[in-house]
Amino acid sequence: MRRICVVTGTRAEYGLLYWLMKEIDSDPELQIQVVVTGMHLSPEFGLTYRQIEEDGFVIDAKVEMLLSSDTAVAVSKSIGLGVIGFADALERLKPDIVVLLGDRYEILAAAQAALVARIPVAHIHGGETTEGAIDESIRHAVTKMSRLHFVAAEPYRARVIQMGEAPESVVNVGALGLENLMRLKLLGREELEQSIDFRLGQRCLLVTYHPATLGSVEPKGAMQALLDALDCFPECNLIFTKPNSDTNGRIISYMIDEYARHRPGRVSVFTSMGQVRYLSAMLCVDAVIGNSSSGIIEAPACKTATVNIGERQSGRLKAKSIVDCGETTESIKAAIEQVLLPSFQDEVAGVESVYGSGQSAAAIKDHLKQADICCTKPFYDL
């Protein structure tokens, strides 16, 4: 059997990998190995590795790497701990391929360990640009450490090839996240309200804001601008999901908790909603607000408007349902006003996704099963 090791470090990433993991696990010619790390193992972020186990997966290794701090120094030290932990895990598991998704620092640690161990890496969602975050550099670094590439759109495929990767190793499979919209049994409005114990009300907004680690605006000030803008819409109930374990993530979480504490009944806050409730909420709300990639990829497929704040997602392909704005109260307020207009909501209903049709998992699994897994690769010159 070909051993396929899937690494996951966050709730959102696992949500994207879920169907691929199911595809691998159900194939009699493949053996899945699951390694969890980062936020999954932290009580502060909900110990979300438990959800992976509840979904029926056996966790083959846990790599502890997350320090109890969100400073730049702590993140750098976490990467170092991660490299050490992944080195041990990969030596014990001896996978044939390591599957990594995205651009977070946990993934950088796993890629380094796999590279030195001469284990081929299959990278998902390469070639994208997010100019407002260090994720941009991490993503491209992991691309160069990888042997196989599964991208979400043709422009991203072209960019990976531009970086010197052989065209036959770069496959456009679309975005994995859209698979959840097709295959998960999502909740209706009343079911969702019962599940989260919160009334959506006449209007509701889903808010997810992460620190822009290379942004020009300090995260605390940007978050305050967002909260002040949301106060301009008292008729809108608000569902917040908390940020990842990035630098300055804790101050944003604290500000969200304080904001909610003074607005009981209007605001609900979640460390982790899980994919079913999060996507169900996305289908039910009037707009998604923040700077999460889910507002760029999943929201348009849900026919839900997005207000994309700041520079974190700059460079990504965007549907017409997405309104970009600056990190000021005035700019955010104007963007929310625009997406709530009935005329804009009518336009959103006709928007098509630019990230494929939601049939990525089986395609990736088939390529993993058949791919040449030699570690050496020539640089491809255009």
Side-chain angles (χ1 to χ4, degrees), residues 125-168:
H125 273 287
E128 302 175 18
T129 57
T130 49
E131 297 165 7
I134 62 170
D135 304 0
E136 166 89 354
S137 297
I138 292 175
R139 184 185 310 108
H140 299 327
V142 173
T143 288
K144 293 309 300 177
M145 288 188 272
S146 300
R147 181 68 179 77
L148 303 172
H149 310 274
F150 300 105
V151 300
E154 278 303 310
Y156 301 150
R157 180 174 185 270
R159 188 173 288 128
V160 171
I161 295 171
Q162 180 183 334
M163 294 172 65
E165 300 302 297
E168 61 270 20

Side-chain angles (χ1 to χ4, degrees), residues 23-42:
E23 289 281 349
I24 296 169
D25 196 33
S26 63
D27 192 309
E29 297 179 31
L30 297 175
Q31 177 186 342
I32 190 170
Q33 298 173 328
V34 180
V35 177
V36 300
T37 188
M39 293 166 59
H40 282 309
L41 304 177
S42 169

Side-chain angles (χ1 to χ4, degrees), residues 4 9 44-45 61 80 88 90 110 112 152 199 213 224 234 237 264 266 272 281 352 373:
I4 310 296
E44 180 179 356
F45 295 98
D88 289 336
L90 296 178
Q112 291 179 72
R199 299 284 293 177
T213 47
Q224 189 59 57
N237 286 350
R266 180 182 170 232
S272 174
E352 296 295 329
I373 55 174

Side-chain angles (χ1 to χ4, degrees), residues 198 238-242 253 256-261 267-273:
F198 181 71
L238 305 170
I239 300 173
F240 281 87
T241 60
K242 287 189 174 182
S253 291
I256 291 171
D257 286 336
E258 285 298 295
Y259 184 83
R261 187 167 66 85
V267 180
S268 186
V269 180
F270 295 88
T271 299
S272 174
M273 292 186 77

Side-chain angles (χ1 to χ4, degrees), residues 136-266:
E136 166 89 354
S137 297
I138 292 175
R139 184 185 310 108
H140 299 327
V142 173
T143 288
K144 293 309 300 177
M145 288 188 272
S146 300
R147 181 68 179 77
L148 303 172
H149 310 274
F150 300 105
V151 300
E154 278 303 310
Y156 301 150
R157 180 174 185 270
R159 188 173 288 128
V160 171
I161 295 171
Q162 180 183 334
M163 294 172 65
E165 300 302 297
E168 61 270 20
S169 72
V170 190
V171 186
N172 176 14
V173 294
L176 267 177
L178 302 187
E179 196 121 356
N180 285 318
L181 295 174
M182 294 182 57
R183 298 175 69 169
L184 286 177
K185 187 178 185 303
L186 300 179
L187 307 175
R189 186 183 181 92
E190 291 185 4
E191 291 177 299
L192 175 65
E193 289 180 330
Q194 292 176 1
S195 179
I196 64 177
D197 192 25
F198 181 71
R199 299 284 293 177
L200 302 186
Q202 185 176 357
R203 277 186 164 175
C204 190
L205 305 175
L206 178 61
V207 185
T208 303
Y209 184 86
H210 300 289
T213 47
L214 291 180
S216 57
V217 180
E218 187 263 332
K220 182 178 179 181
M223 188 65 198
Q224 189 59 57
L226 169 57
L227 297 176
D228 290 343
L230 292 173
D231 270 343
C232 297
F233 301 90
E235 75 281 9
C236 293
N237 286 350
L238 305 170
I239 300 173
F240 281 87
T241 60
K242 287 189 174 182
N244 292 326
S245 59
D246 295 307
T247 304
N248 292 314
R250 286 185 173 185
I251 183 61
I252 291 177
S253 291
Y254 173 79
M255 293 172 73
I256 291 171
D257 286 336
E258 285 298 295
Y259 184 83
R261 187 167 66 85
H262 291 93
R263 293 159 184 82
R266 180 182 170 232

